[in-house]
Amino acid sequence: MIESTATLDRAGILERLATIVRPDQLDTDEQHLLDASVDRFKKYQSVHGIHDAPTPVAIVNAESTEDVAAILAFADEHVVNIVPRTGRTGTEGGLETSVVDTVVLDCSRMDAVLHVDPENMQVTVQAGVPLQRLEDELRLQGLTTGHSPQSKPLAQYGGLVATRSIGQFSTLYGAIEDMVTGLEAVFPGGRVRRIKSVPRRSAGPDIRHVVIGNEGALCVITEVTIKVFTYMPENNEFHGALVDDMRTGVAIIREVVVNGFRPSVVRLYSPEDANQHFSHFSKGKCVVVFVAEGPKGIVRATSEEIQRVLGQHEHEPVDPSLIESWFEHLNWGQDKIDAEKQAMLTDRHLGYTTEVSADWSAVADLYDAVMRRIREEYPYADDLTMLGGHSSHSYQTGTNMYFVYDYRIDCSPEEEIEKYHIPLNAIIVEEALRHGGSMVHHHGVGKYRTPWVEEEHGSAFAIMQGLKAQFDPKGIMNKGTIFPAPGAIQAAAADPDTSFRRASA
């Protein structure tokens, strides 16, 4: 916890907020404030009613860019910490309120689709537009965003852009940073800055990337313009194969991608992870999945290449209809989150993921190293009910690895995060960095990967610090997110013990 630096006390902050927005835009409901103090990093504690982060003063529901600007001008003047949010699907503590007397700035009511431009293949939306709603509207016009993260039914555009999110069809359509062509953001002091949408420019550094991925630590995103694509689901073709090991699977997906083909879905599952999704056919083997999407000729050529590459490796073909059925049920909605909450209460069982990335030459070694360290060094490995991983986003130079770990909880809810989640996450991050990869592929740094952010960026971290100093000199924007701040997270998370001396003491 970080003590408040505000020049007003809690009552004074609330009093001033009431002069800036209408009463119905201020939420001071006690349960809503408790829920707003955490995100899904602490989902087990939260479902048990344990909220150890400072309770925010209020949730301000902004309805316009002008509202956001007025709140940030007030916050900058009085040094009030601001945590911006939209869809509330964060998983890395980025929405956690680490500072006493924080104000949560919610942009979900800014939900207008401002302009659909099919000639220039772009659409402009406010930050609170739900991805699922936009996708549904575009498909009626024969278009698609191409963006489909697992959180699609809940996610909103402000958060998607702020965390550099990625969708399950990224190998074809790209990640969010490849889709954003223009945007509007508000910086501390209420300064509104717009970046116009153009096909490309060579006018200095690409300043979109000061905003994209800033996680509310520099500014609040209020509007984005994104690319759209022609929607042609009738041409989709599905491919699956069983292979004996992860290295064979990596070789297969690498060859397809580096040869210039772009299936929308390119995935490789370890046997353990595959059993969660494909137990009806995986037979204890690794599962390789491809979906070819787009114009019919491109789909056919892509499918032919997939089959050619598979033919060079020992494998067992999977009925395409089984892959198609899986494809239709990829996303998590509120119903699955509610079911997970109930399971946490009744079963004392939990699952998490940590996603990283590495070059093709390193990713199999990275996977093996993580599996070995957790199985051999982690003192509570016997509590794990599943440990595996999958690759789901591939590039010319490498791929991601999404580590998945489920465990029985043999401790109190208060102890769970330090006994299980923090050390398991730390092992994976350490190995990603040791193998020359990135500590985070698409969930964002949040607060709980800040212990490694300087190692991640190396000498370039000075550039990051310069951005913070320039745009948020008073440090009011989401303190402790991306940029480490003493007290923002508990000591065990700020300095994880992966030698496990404390556990054995």
Side-chain angles (χ1 to χ4, degrees):
M1 181 176 71
I2 301 172
E3 292 299 328
S4 174
T5 57
T7 60
L8 300 172
D9 63 15
R10 194 175 183 87
I13 293 171
L14 193 57
E15 182 178 341
R16 282 295 306 276
L17 291 174
T19 69
I20 299 171
V21 296
R22 300 188 315 273
D24 65 308
Q25 291 178 261
L26 278 179
D27 186 352
T28 56
D29 178 88
E30 183 178 356
Q31 188 58 53
H32 293 173
L33 295 180
L34 289 173
D35 291 342
S37 70
V38 296
D39 64 18
R40 286 178 57 77
F41 192 89
K42 289 185 175 178
K43 60 186 179 182
Y44 190 70
Q45 287 74 26
S46 179
V47 80
H48 284 85
I50 299 165
H51 298 87
D52 55 8
T55 305
V57 174
I59 302 164
V60 177
N61 292 290
E63 296 182 353
S64 66
T65 298
E66 291 74 20
D67 283 350
V68 174
I71 293 298
L72 292 194
F74 158 74
D76 201 47
E77 179 184 359
H78 293 286
V79 201
V80 177
N81 187 60
I82 297 290
V83 174
R85 73 179 195 188
T86 54
R88 301 176 60 190
T89 58
T91 62
E92 306 303 320
L95 301 182
E96 196 167 304
T97 52
S98 61
V99 180
V100 173
D101 294 343
T102 286
V103 170
V104 173
L105 180 55
D106 191 302
C107 295
S108 298
R109 293 187 188 178
M110 299 172 61
D111 63 351
V113 176
L114 299 174
H115 183 53
V116 178
D117 182 355
E119 181 176 4
N120 294 311
M121 297 298 281
Q122 59 189 21
V123 59
T124 301
V125 300
Q126 289 184 307
V129 167
L131 172 56
Q132 184 70 63
R133 195 187 91 200
L134 178 64
E135 182 68 23
D136 291 344
E137 291 180 17
L138 289 174
R139 287 187 182 186
L140 294 175
Q141 302 179 52
L143 301 171
T144 178
T145 63
H147 198 55
S148 188
Q150 196 174 44
S151 61
K152 184 176 181 177
L154 302 171
Q156 297 172 5
Y157 263 93
L160 291 168
V161 176
T163 55
R164 290 180 70 90
S165 72
I166 202 164
Q168 293 164 111
F169 312 145
S170 65
T171 307
L172 175 61
Y173 295 108
I176 199 73
E177 67 269 21
D178 303 306
M179 299 173 176
V180 173
T181 59
L183 54 82
E184 176 187 84
V186 184
F187 287 80
R191 296 184 296 273
V192 180
R193 299 291 181 257
R194 293 186 64 87
I195 301 172
K196 67 181 178 181
S197 174
V198 293
R200 188 183 185 273
R201 61 171 57 151
S202 178
D206 191 341
I207 55 176
R208 289 174 300 174
H209 296 284
V210 173
V211 177
I212 298 171
N214 88 91
E215 298 186 46
L218 298 176
C219 60
V220 178
I221 297 164
T222 51
E223 181 185 305
V224 295
T225 300
I226 58 166
K227 302 173 186 175
V228 296
F229 306 87
T230 304
Y231 184 53
M232 294 175 279
E234 66 277 6
N235 296 334
N236 288 359
E237 295 185 6
F238 303 88
H239 306 268
L242 308 183
V243 297
D244 288 337
D245 56 78
M246 290 291 278
R247 289 178 184 273
T248 299
V250 168
I252 290 169
I253 64 173
R254 176 193 173 278
E255 186 168 354
V256 170
V257 171
V258 303
N259 284 349
F261 293 86
R262 294 293 180 265
S264 60
V265 177
V266 178
R267 291 195 170 213
L268 164 66
Y269 287 83
S270 73
E272 301 86 355
D273 198 6
N275 197 49
Q276 294 196 117
H277 307 277
F278 311 115
S279 60
H280 49 304
F281 66 78
S282 58
K283 302 178 182 179
K285 294 191 173 186
C286 298
V287 176
V288 180
V289 174
F290 293 102
V291 181
E293 183 177 335
K296 189 174 295 184
I298 292 176
V299 168
R300 191 84 294 275
T302 302
S303 291
E304 288 173 359
E305 173 69 2
I306 291 166
Q307 291 303 317
R308 184 194 70 79
V309 173
L310 285 172
Q312 296 180 337
H313 299 270
E314 186 173 338
H315 74 284
E316 181 179 338
V318 172
D319 183 342
S321 67
L322 296 172
I323 304 301
E324 184 174 8
S325 176
W326 162 82
F327 181 80
E328 296 298 328
H329 300 89
L330 287 176
N331 297 325
W332 274 63
Q334 191 61 48
D335 56 336
K336 290 186 178 179
I337 291 177
D338 291 343
E340 181 191 41
K341 288 180 178 179
Q342 187 58 43
M344 284 190 278
L345 289 170
T346 59
D347 300 340
R348 294 173 59 86
H349 187 266
L350 190 57
Y352 275 110
T353 60
T354 300
E355 28 58 73
V356 296
S357 66
D359 292 345
W360 290 117
S361 59
V363 70
D365 290 340
L366 164 61
Y367 175 81
D368 289 343
V370 168
M371 294 297 108
R372 181 197 60 77
R373 278 194 65 190
I374 292 177
R375 288 168 178 160
E376 296 180 7
E377 299 178 16
Y378 177 57
Y380 309 110
D382 287 347
D383 290 339
L384 292 169
T385 58
M386 202 285 290
L387 175 65
H390 62 265
S391 163
S392 48
H393 308 279
S394 289
Y395 312 90
Q396 192 70 9
T397 59
T399 191
N400 83 310
M401 187 56 65
Y402 216 133
F403 290 95
V404 186
Y405 40 98
D406 299 352
Y407 46 84
R408 293 182 300 271
I409 298 169
D410 186 22
C411 62
S412 69
E414 292 86 349
E415 297 171 309
E416 175 272 327
I417 195 169
E418 294 186 11
K419 182 173 181 178
Y420 298 106
H421 191 186
I422 287 172
L424 291 167
N425 183 68
I427 289 172
I428 296 163
V429 167
E430 287 175 358
E431 288 303 315
L433 292 170
R434 189 171 71 84
H435 284 82
S438 174
M439 68 168 182
V440 57
H441 178 259
H442 63 268
H443 283 169
V445 176
K447 294 179 176 67
Y448 287 93
R449 297 198 209 186
T450 56
W452 303 277
V453 73
E454 189 166 358
E455 183 179 355
E456 167 80 17
H457 290 287
S459 61
F461 187 61
I463 300 172
M464 299 277 287
Q465 291 174 308
L467 291 172
K468 185 70 169 175
Q470 173 64 35
F471 294 114
D472 184 24
K474 295 183 181 178
I476 68 162
M477 298 302 297
N478 207 358
K479 186 178 288 291
T481 292
I482 297 182
F483 303 92
I489 53 179
Q490 62 263 54
D495 182 23
D497 174 28
T498 53
S499 68
F500 302 108
R501 290 186 297 270
R502 298 171 199 156
S504 60

